[in-house]
Amino acid sequence: MRGFLASSIGVTCAAALALPLTPPALAAARPVPTTEVATAARPAPHAGTPDTTLTDRRAAEPSAAGSTQSLPLEPLTRNRATPSAAASATAEQGLSRRAVRRFSLVGVIWDDPQAELHGRVHVRTRAAGTGTWSGWQVVETHNADHAADLDTPESTSGRVRGATAPLWVGDSDGVELRVRSELQGTGGRSVAVAAPSLPSGLRLELVDPGEGDEALPGGPVDSPRTGGLNTEASAATDASAANADLAPLGATEITALSRAATEREFYTLRAGAPADRQRAKPYIGPRPRIVTRRGWGANEGLRERKFVYTKKVKAAFVHHTASGNKYNCSQSPSLIRSIYRYHVKSMGWRDVGYNFLIDKCGKIYEGRAGGVARPVLGAHTLGFNSNSMGIAVLGSYGSKKPSSAAVKAIARVTAWKLGLYRMNPRGKTYLKSAGSNLHRKGKKVRLNVISGHRDGFKTACPGRKLYGKLGSARSAAARYQGR
């Protein structure tokens, strides 16, 4: 593709290749279910006892194409000695145990994206298949560091909200939630009225990932951002066509290549580069297998239509999704669809924030739309989204070691993608900060070409255990490049 390394802002790609011009899933494009307003709470069933049969619940559900239930939180008063209802409302909120429509991922959002939730969020859920209630699970509250850079069109759209990290809970149909404010560094020992107020507009988001490209008829639907079935089908075509130099239109995966084939592709992609740069032998890792957005079932009607690019890819930031480790690899597409929906419908982003996602089995997935070989502008590392890419490993890795397959996948995708931009995975580079809590706006920061999120922002991400594996990933990526 001629000149693909040049900056391209707001360019929409379209192409038609040798495969059928209208793939089956695109021809049958469907609308997507809307973010639902809160419904009246039904009486809480007894623990472990489903309130209806599985057949009855399925019949009562409006759609299996994916949806978001958005429930406003209520003040929780557990101590009659609390001085006032107003103080209670600012110190602890939540939802009593209740039956809801099916969902698999939870998160909490609030009105002001600049406000922080200083406290703890605990949730318990009821398994849809057995009616068994889980124990209390912790939802990661520190999530503002995964975001678009300040003062960019994405961050100033008016749609962005504050949010916790998402938590994968599996197929569930009941929920109970507690959100309690705490003073920083008290470990939960503070008196409630002395703690900071909770952010305004707290809501619990219950995300059903749906069934990918397969939708069931009937029931309320989301309106695609730009409206209409034809628009959604066109957006799906554009997302696929952005990878036209790598895979046929409508492909569910981009196949792996040998080193020799990858080098030939490198010269093809760089056809518009200066002659001296074309002649230099590339250090590039073999292209890995990548599951496309079509492959994991992205509903292209959810995201903003246009693609936005930065100039180049000088660094890769590694993240964890902090969504828990209670998923199996067959559920990875559902988990990614849930995160995508949460980022767009709940948090107000233009698309999923990461450029790539990797599961515990080492499978690599395309993230934000615009083409896996291109410098797509993400929303992953506040302050350093320009000239970088974000790679998120599905799961939480503060105390759990990442799988060797996941670490190998980080090395493989960085060896290839950084190689396209002639970057050494073991090297250093400079990025200009757009402003973070670690580096002031405008500062040129020297970073590892493969960095952890915490190198650009004061955060625990990507978790202590995953961060500790980045040295191994750098060395392996350099070897894949032939260095």
Side-chain angles (χ1 to χ4, degrees), residues 10-14 159 224-239 242 293 300-309 340 344 349-351 368-370:
V11 177
T12 301
C13 303
R159 294 189 300 267
R225 285 195 178 217
T226 49
L229 291 177
N230 290 337
T231 299
E232 183 184 346
S234 180
T237 301
D238 289 348
R293 291 172 65 91
E300 302 297 352
L302 294 181
R303 63 173 175 84
E304 281 189 2
R305 178 70 183 272
K306 68 179 182 180
F307 306 142
V308 181
Y309 300 100
Y340 169 45
V344 175
W349 295 359
R350 56 185 308 275
D351 194 352
R368 182 164 286 205

Side-chain angles (χ1 to χ4, degrees), residues 175-247:
V175 69
E176 184 177 3
L177 179 77
R178 294 175 184 170
V179 180
R180 185 178 179 85
S181 65
E182 289 180 358
L183 291 174
Q184 293 286 74
T186 63
R189 295 187 298 275
S190 61
V191 179
V193 293
S197 297
L198 293 171
S200 62
L202 287 167
R203 304 182 73 89
L204 174 64
E205 304 288 285
L206 304 175
V207 180
D208 171 14
E211 316 248 342
D213 276 9
E214 301 300 323
L216 296 183
V221 295
D222 280 339
S223 297
R225 285 195 178 217
T226 49
L229 291 177
N230 290 337
T231 299
E232 183 184 346
S234 180
T237 301
D238 289 348
S240 183
N243 293 313
D245 289 316
L246 311 180

Side-chain angles (χ1 to χ4, degrees), residues 364-452:
I364 302 167
Y365 298 84
E366 178 183 13
R368 182 164 286 205
V372 296
R374 300 184 180 188
V376 177
L377 180 66
H380 48 82
T381 307
L382 180 61
F384 293 96
N385 290 303
S386 291
N387 296 331
S388 71
M389 65 176 179
I391 302 168
V393 181
L394 298 174
S396 301
Y397 298 100
S399 58
K400 182 179 178 59
K401 291 182 180 180
S403 67
S404 58
V407 176
K408 181 179 180 181
I410 293 171
R412 294 192 66 200
V413 73
T414 53
W416 172 69
K417 183 68 178 278
L418 292 171
L420 289 174
Y421 296 85
R422 294 189 179 277
M423 298 303 297
N424 182 347
R426 280 198 302 240
K428 304 280 187 179
T429 190
Y430 283 90
L431 292 179
K432 185 177 180 179
S433 172
S436 75
N437 65 358
L438 197 58
H439 303 288
R440 62 174 174 79
K441 184 176 182 179
K443 180 182 179 181
K444 290 185 177 180
V445 182
R446 189 169 185 258
L447 295 160
N448 287 309
V449 169
I450 298 179
S451 285

